[in-house]
Amino acid sequence: MRCIHQLRLALIFALSLAASSARAEVSVGGRHIYVMFPGIDALWGSYLFVVNNSGTAPERHVFPIMLPGETIDFQGQENVAPDELKLGEGGKLTIDKAFPPGESMVNIGFKVPAEQGVAKLTLTPLFPVEALSIFVWENTFDVGGPNLQERKGVPFSGRNYDTYTLSNAKVGEPFTAEVGRVPEGRGRLMIVGYFLIAALLLGGFLIAFLSRPHLSQAEDLA
């Protein structure tokens, strides 16, 4: 009887080990892509990455989202519902989602502002990543930043892109890229207009002051 009891305990222990070893693992892929599109005094972007669930059933996973620090708007797109994005303390964005078995593409849209034709993208890796890549339409933008590997005319989703990649970014270390030649609205024209109006007013005041009539000494004495 004692032997049977010991055998049952051994089987339960073995099954528990098998269950733990077969437990699904959800992981975020090492490649992160930021596809940028032109706006007026702004850039629109799509943040793309892959999440892998090695199990056979949906598994919940919570992790931070690496949107640019300058982001002023965002929205879940492919495979992301609005209630699966959580905004926490300090404006930190996380995703809380049950991922199906296999690989899932995640797409989050965002917007960053631009000033005088230049937009900044500050990216801070929150976990180990192999590569952070910025994709822009071919010959559309000027992209600059430290340690970026540039490739021209890369086919992606039915169109050619210029790509700029930072490899093996350090966790917690911010990286800033600048995107130039962003279409401008009326902001610069308004600044120039205000300057011209101020210059005209000042010039008119000086002309009026210098051309004012002067009284002669005799008229002053009278």
Side-chain angles (χ1 to χ4, degrees):
M1 193 70 179
R2 184 177 180 182
C3 293
I4 294 175
H5 180 66
Q6 290 178 345
L7 180 61
R8 288 181 61 188
L9 290 177
L11 286 172
I12 293 173
F13 181 73
L15 288 173
S16 65
L17 285 180
S20 62
S21 62
R23 184 176 301 165
E25 179 181 350
V26 180
S27 59
V28 181
R31 184 78 183 273
H32 298 257
I33 297 176
Y34 301 83
V35 186
M36 309 307 302
F37 307 98
I40 302 299
D41 289 329
L43 283 179
W44 297 93
S46 288
Y47 172 35
L48 306 169
F49 59 93
V50 170
V51 176
N52 181 58
N53 177 3
S54 62
T56 58
E59 290 286 339
R60 181 187 174 194
H61 192 44
V62 181
F63 56 93
I65 299 297
M66 295 190 297
L67 290 180
E70 294 80 6
T71 298
I72 56 177
D73 194 12
F74 63 87
Q75 182 178 16
Q77 295 180 341
E78 186 174 353
N79 291 330
V80 181
D83 60 346
E84 293 172 337
L85 292 177
K86 312 292 183 181
L87 194 60
E89 296 181 0
K92 294 182 179 178
L93 187 66
T94 61
I95 185 170
D96 184 346
K97 177 179 174 63
F99 291 92
E103 291 187 345
S104 300
M105 172 69 74
V106 176
N107 184 355
I108 299 174
F110 64 94
K111 179 183 180 181
V112 295
E115 293 184 2
Q116 299 183 5
V118 178
K120 291 185 177 181
L121 305 175
T122 301
L123 304 171
T124 303
L126 304 174
F127 43 79
V129 297
E130 296 174 8
L132 298 174
S133 296
I134 299 172
F135 282 43
V136 298
W137 288 345
E138 187 177 20
N139 299 323
T140 302
F141 297 117
D142 296 326
V143 180
N147 302 319
L148 285 176
Q149 299 174 353
E150 179 181 351
R151 293 179 62 194
K152 294 287 189 178
V154 177
F156 178 75
S157 189
R159 184 164 184 159
N160 288 342
Y161 288 80
D162 297 332
T163 69
Y164 303 82
T165 301
L166 176 68
S167 299
N168 300 318
K170 295 182 179 179
V171 177
E173 185 172 304
F175 163 78
T176 300
E178 289 191 352
V179 180
R181 289 198 290 163
V182 179
E184 295 185 60
R186 298 180 179 179
R188 189 191 292 266
L189 293 177
M190 291 180 65
I191 293 175
V192 173
Y194 290 147
F195 176 79
L196 290 177
I197 292 173
L200 289 174
L201 289 175
L202 180 61
F205 175 78
L206 288 175
I207 292 174
F209 179 78
L210 295 176
S211 61
R212 74 188 190 281
H214 294 277
L215 296 176
S216 64
Q217 185 175 6
E219 291 173 330
D220 289 340
L221 295 174

